[in-house]
């Protein structure tokens, strides 16, 4: 974000997948600068919607990370809370953007690399990095890193606001963090014979919590990555 507003919105347009190409589905939206325009038919244009960022089909996870996420990484290490919320229908590309795939890192992995790179520059002795991984499924909150911890309760107090008490793991290397992410993803798959059915009704929240010791004292920063589903 550029500092002019606390909230920014972006739209990412994914390429057609194989069955959509085979079905010869016509484009439903047209991009014009920072707006998308609904195409009703060959001659009729519908509503127009404007966003802070629009990423067309040829843009990569690295492009999304550079323009939206990277500026927030340093903010987290400086004690400023940030959230990236990927929202959309099933198969719209949210998880690919967040987690990536083989050979294509997602924005979480790119953020982790930058966090550790910055910590090395500033001396890792001045930072403690923790993470947690939650799933909201059927209106219940489960800990994906500790499979025996389920149905967590939402709490609220003056100091922390609305929160969930969850066990956090201390992370010392990027490899440790990626191992924990894989454990959480595996837990998310357990309990359902149809992964698509489960993922279409669940939300995941991956949180990085950074504690840094600076000249001004202790600083706490939270970075939330939310993979959400629209109904």
């Amino acid at each position: 974000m550029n500092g002019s507003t606390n909230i920014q919105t972006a739209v990412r347009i994914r390429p057609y997948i194989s069955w959509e190409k085979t079905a010869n589905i016509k484009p439903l939206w047209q991009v014009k600068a920072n707006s998308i325009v609904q195409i009703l038919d060959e001659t009729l244009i519908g509503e127009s919607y404007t966003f802070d960022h629009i990423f067309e089909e040829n843009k990569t996870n690295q492009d999304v990370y550079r323009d939206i996420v990277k500026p927030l990484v340093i903010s987290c290490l400086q004690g400023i809370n940030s959230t990236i919320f990927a929202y959309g229908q099933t198969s719209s590309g949210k998880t690919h953007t967040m987690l990536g795939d083989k050979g294509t890192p997602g924005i979480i992995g790119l953020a982790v690399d930058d966090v550790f790179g910055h910590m090395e520059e500033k001396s890792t002795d001045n930072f403690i990095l923790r993470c947690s991984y939650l799933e909201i499924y059927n209106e219940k909150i489960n800990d994906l890193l500790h499979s025996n911890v389920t149905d967590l309760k939402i709490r609220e107090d003056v100091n922390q606001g609305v929160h969930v008490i969850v066990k956090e793991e201390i992370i010392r290397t990027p490899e440790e963090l990626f191992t924990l992410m894989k454990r959480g993803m595996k837990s998310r798959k357990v309990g359902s014979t149809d992964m698509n059915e489960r993922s279409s009704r669940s939300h995941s929240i991956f949180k990085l919590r950074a504690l840094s010791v600076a000249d001004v004292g202790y600083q706490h920063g939270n970075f939330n990555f939310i993979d959400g589903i629209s109904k």
Side-chain angles (χ1 to χ4, degrees):
M1 296 193 299
N2 58 19
S4 61
T5 179
N6 289 330
I7 299 176
Q8 291 196 12
T9 58
V11 167
R12 186 177 189 185
I13 303 171
R14 70 157 171 77
Y16 280 172
I17 54 181
S18 57
W19 75 265
E20 292 169 333
K21 294 178 181 178
T22 302
N24 196 28
I25 295 177
K26 302 298 182 183
L28 300 177
W29 298 93
Q30 181 180 8
V31 176
K32 292 185 177 181
N34 274 4
S35 297
I36 56 172
V37 181
Q38 188 177 20
I39 303 174
L40 300 179
D41 59 38
E42 294 182 356
T43 60
L44 187 61
I45 300 298
E47 295 290 335
S48 175
Y49 302 92
T50 301
F51 300 87
D52 296 292
H53 304 272
I54 293 181
F55 299 94
E56 298 188 56
E57 298 95 323
N58 62 335
K59 298 300 182 180
T60 65
N61 286 349
Q62 286 85 350
D63 294 321
V64 177
Y65 178 77
R66 181 194 64 238
D67 292 350
I68 297 179
V69 185
K70 189 177 180 67
L72 303 178
V73 170
I74 303 303
S75 297
C76 174
L77 296 176
Q78 294 174 341
I80 300 174
N81 298 331
S82 300
T83 295
I84 298 294
F85 196 135
Y87 185 76
Q89 293 179 324
T90 301
S91 299
S92 59
K94 303 179 304 301
T95 302
H96 172 75
T97 300
M98 286 290 197
L99 301 177
D101 52 33
K102 291 183 178 180
T104 305
I107 61 175
I108 295 179
L110 294 169
V112 169
D113 287 341
D114 267 359
V115 165
F116 278 96
H118 184 75
M119 288 167 60
E120 289 177 1
E121 291 178 2
K122 299 296 183 179
S123 172
T124 55
D125 292 340
N126 293 331
F127 292 92
I128 297 175
L129 193 64
R130 296 182 174 91
C131 79
S132 61
Y133 202 176
L134 299 176
E135 178 186 46
I136 303 173
Y137 178 61
N138 282 346
E139 300 187 3
K140 292 185 177 181
I141 303 173
N142 303 317
D143 188 338
L144 291 175
L145 298 183
H146 307 92
S147 57
N148 61 325
V149 181
T150 59
D151 199 11
L152 295 166
K153 303 304 179 185
I154 298 176
R155 304 171 185 271
E156 183 175 10
D157 61 40
V158 175
N159 295 322
Q160 300 185 64
V162 178
H163 66 283
V164 173
I165 297 178
V166 60
K167 183 179 179 181
E168 296 178 324
E169 297 284 347
I170 295 179
I171 308 162
R172 298 172 182 83
T173 65
E175 290 73 23
E176 287 183 357
L177 189 144
F178 292 133
T179 297
L180 289 170
M181 286 181 62
K182 290 179 181 178
R183 185 205 301 177
M185 292 168 62
K186 183 178 180 180
S187 297
R188 196 176 182 187
K189 295 179 181 179
V190 170
S192 174
T193 57
D194 186 345
M195 181 55 185
N196 288 330
E197 183 274 337
R198 182 179 182 90
S199 65
S200 67
R201 292 191 291 155
S202 71
H203 312 268
S204 67
I205 304 171
F206 185 82
K207 173 182 281 189
L208 292 175
R209 184 191 297 272
L211 169 64
S212 62
V213 181
D215 294 337
V216 295
Y218 291 94
Q219 294 179 322
H220 294 266
N222 298 315
F223 208 150
N224 302 295
F225 295 87
I226 303 175
D227 186 346
I229 305 296
S230 66
K231 298 299 184 181

